Amino acid sequence: MNTMAAPRPLTAIEKYYRFHSRIYDATRWSFLFGRSGILDPIAAVAKPTRILEIGCGTGKNLVTLAQRFPDAEVTGLDLSATMLDVAESKAAAFGGRVKLIHRSYDAPLDAEPAYDLILFSYALTMFNPGWETAIECAQRDLVAGGHIAVVDFHDSVFPWFKRWMGVNHVRMDGHLQPKLEALFQPQTDKLCSAYGGVWKYLMFVGRSPRSGGF
Ligand SMILES: C[S@@+](CC[C@H](N)C(=O)[O-])C[C@H]1O[C@@H](n2cnc3c(N)ncnc32)[C@H](O)[C@@H]1O
């Protein structure tokens, strides 16, 4: 793992995942819907070779990405060292093809765009503040014509549910979709219902504009 020394107090998110990293894989299947399906529209139109997942957590999607795109180099980035500790053994199974980076995504990774697919899976709603910057960074890290894929919570009509998600550091205000639509050419852009309408989640795939716009 590429671990940057971080002599600083842990953020609220890092503290949260010190415990939740232990139960994450056993529990999140029951409510983080769409994590596999978000890759279907990409696989139908493109064969990405340099893939980045921002907020990769315990690495479930890194495995899916590496299996689905066997010629691709896959990089997972996350703020939480404890989540990356869990991801490490999954990444190791692919030799050097899956790499991990420990940092916050608050600036582009490279001076030049280097990735043809960037995935955010249930990450952006936890970037508070920072979600707008992260989307803008992804636009700069994506090569022209590359794809961004986002699956995440969207909104709920139930205030108690939004409050509960807020306790878990998740913002559910339908705030991601307009920003994504403004910066990327939508290929897939839909809201899906979970548990009979308790909440909606967003599935968005967009293409990075080539120079001159969409
Ligand atoms: C709900 S988990 C999602 C993990 C994985 N993508 C999945 O679908 O299972 C959100 C992840 O985003 C990470 N995260 C939160 N803020 C971040 C930031 N500013 N930069 C990088 N990662 C961040 C958290 O540490 C956590 O691992």
Side-chain angles (χ1 to χ4, degrees):
M1 189 201 314
N2 176 4
T3 306
M4 286 175 39
R8 54 170 176 77
L10 294 183
T11 64
I13 293 287
E14 288 168 289
K15 285 182 190 160
Y16 177 80
Y17 279 117
R18 271 195 307 192
F19 169 70
H20 280 269
S21 58
R22 294 183 230 158
I23 59 166
Y24 190 90
D25 286 344
T27 53
R28 270 28 180 212
W29 61 270
S30 60
F31 57 97
L32 300 188
F33 300 124
R35 287 188 291 174
S36 299
I38 192 65
L39 300 176
D40 293 344
I42 305 274
V45 296
K47 276 195 182 155
T49 56
R50 292 207 67 197
I51 301 175
L52 176 63
E53 183 185 3
I54 302 297
C56 65
T58 58
K60 175 196 182 298
N61 301 318
L62 300 178
V63 172
T64 312
L65 287 163
Q67 289 171 340
R68 195 130 189 203
F69 303 108
D71 298 324
E73 281 180 21
V74 179
T75 301
L77 176 152
D78 204 284
L79 172 65
S80 161
T82 50
M83 292 294 264
L84 288 177
D85 284 344
V86 180
E88 205 156 12
S89 59
K90 297 186 187 112
F94 294 92
R97 195 158 71 82
V98 177
K99 298 189 181 68
L100 301 176
I101 299 175
H102 179 210
R103 57 162 266 192
S104 172
Y105 194 55
D106 46 16
L109 274 194
D110 295 304
E112 295 296 324
Y115 297 94
D116 48 12
L117 171 60
I118 297 182
L119 171 67
F120 290 90
S121 166
Y122 289 96
L124 282 170
T125 50
M126 298 191 91
F127 287 36
N128 304 309
W131 62 274
E132 284 180 296
T133 303
I135 295 173
E136 286 158 12
C137 291
Q139 195 185 33
R140 289 181 49 193
D141 275 327
L142 270 179
V143 297
H147 289 87
I148 186 170
V150 177
V151 57
D152 213 325
F153 296 108
H154 179 73
D155 206 351
S156 172
V157 292
F158 296 106
W160 61 265
F161 185 73
K162 287 172 72 156
R163 270 199 303 278
W164 168 244
M165 294 306 281
V167 169
N168 287 280
H169 303 283
V170 174
R171 178 178 168 199
M172 290 184 76
D173 286 326
H175 54 295
L176 303 179
Q177 191 178 30
K179 177 81 177 176
L180 291 165
E181 288 172 349
L183 292 191
F184 299 94
Q185 180 182 17
Q187 316 282 295
T188 299
D189 189 3
K190 62 181 180 184
L191 298 177
C192 308
S193 195
Y195 290 117
V198 177
W199 71 87
K200 287 203 169 109
Y201 59 97
L202 169 68
M203 295 185 76
F204 182 92
V205 174
R207 201 162 51 207
S208 181
R210 297 176 194 280
S211 51
F214 293 159

